[in-house]
Amino acid sequence: DTRTGTVTLTIGDQSYTLTVKQTGKYFTIQYTGSQFTSKGTSLSIDVITNDSWTARVEGNPSWITLSQTSGEGDVSIVATLADNPSVNDRTATIIIETPNGHSLKIPISQAARYMTLDCQSVQFFAGGGTSQDIKITTDAQYSISTTGDDWFTVTQKDSSTLVVVAEENPGDTEREGTIVLSMTDLREGTYSITIPVFQIK
């Protein structure tokens, strides 16, 4: 709180009053965003104060570090988030506080690796042919494997697009196979998507 007082000087019947005002301790924090993708990144936290302060990450997780953990006055702290090569989200809380009782908490959440496709299966007529583009959305590295006696092939047009080419089916039975996309840069958990491939007789 701001506080105010007066000093009055009196000489005989004359007096003069001086008003004295002192501001209180202020403490604010500014930052943009608290939700992040699985890829490593950083967050800038601006501390605006006329007080001393300390900063810490609750529980001290190894995947998030702070550029500074104590000081006095205004400062910009950089929180660095390591890469999250996992199928699990993770969260943390940054706490910045002063000795005068001010405390602010910043919740941090970092997403897991993800992968989605814009198709659920690929189907061919007996004459074979080329499928429509299969779009892959992911922030992971991945591998592609197939099953199905080599009657179809998968071509990667670029890092986010696949096409499937099937040969003619000369037999009198339907043919089935699969395409499996598996994340390869995970250090925790496993994740894959299987696309069934069908061809009529």
Side-chain angles (χ1 to χ4, degrees):
D1 298 327
T2 299
R3 55 190 180 184
T4 304
T6 58
V7 178
T8 302
L9 176 65
T10 302
I11 303 176
D13 61 352
Q14 300 291 318
S15 66
Y16 179 80
T17 299
L18 174 69
T19 299
V20 181
K21 181 180 288 188
Q22 186 179 32
T23 61
K25 296 293 186 184
Y26 60 85
F27 178 65
T28 60
I29 289 177
Q30 296 177 348
Y31 63 96
T32 55
S34 60
Q35 297 182 339
F36 302 94
T37 67
S38 71
K39 295 298 185 179
T41 187
S42 62
L43 166 67
S44 181
I45 305 167
D46 294 325
V47 179
I48 303 166
T49 184
N50 59 355
D51 205 351
S52 59
W53 53 267
T54 59
R56 60 188 172 89
V57 184
E58 194 171 45
N60 197 30
S62 61
W63 58 273
I64 181 169
T65 57
L66 303 177
S67 61
Q68 292 173 263
T69 56
S70 63
E72 186 168 353
D74 297 349
V75 68
S76 183
I77 302 171
V78 177
T80 302
L81 283 64
D83 188 55
N84 183 19
S86 167
V87 293
N88 299 312
D89 297 342
R90 56 189 182 185
T91 60
T93 302
I94 299 173
I95 301 174
I96 304 175
E97 49 197 351
T98 72
N100 293 297
H102 291 113
S103 178
L104 288 173
K105 295 183 178 182
I106 303 174
I108 302 293
S109 62
Q110 188 176 29
R113 289 281 199 266
Y114 71 91
M115 178 186 289
T116 60
L117 304 178
D118 67 350
C119 84
Q120 296 181 340
S121 65
V122 180
Q123 299 183 12
F124 291 98
F125 291 110
T130 302
S131 72
Q132 293 183 340
D133 289 354
I134 301 172
K135 293 293 184 181
I136 306 166
T137 305
T138 184
D139 62 353
Q141 297 176 23
Y142 61 91
S143 64
I144 303 169
S145 60
T146 62
T147 64
D149 295 329
D150 298 330
W151 57 269
F152 68 92
T153 58
V154 179
T155 302
Q156 196 161 8
K157 294 175 67 173
D158 54 48
S159 61
S160 61
T161 309
L162 303 177
V163 292
V164 184
V165 178
E167 300 173 357
E168 181 182 359
N169 183 2
D172 58 359
T173 58
E174 295 181 351
R175 298 199 285 199
E176 297 183 8
T178 61
I179 302 168
V180 181
L181 282 70
S182 303
M183 292 185 183
T184 58
D185 61 345
L186 296 176
R187 295 199 194 106
E188 181 181 302
T190 59
Y191 188 84
S192 63
I193 297 177
T194 299
I195 308 172
V197 183
F198 304 100
Q199 187 177 32
I200 65 174
K201 60 186 178 180

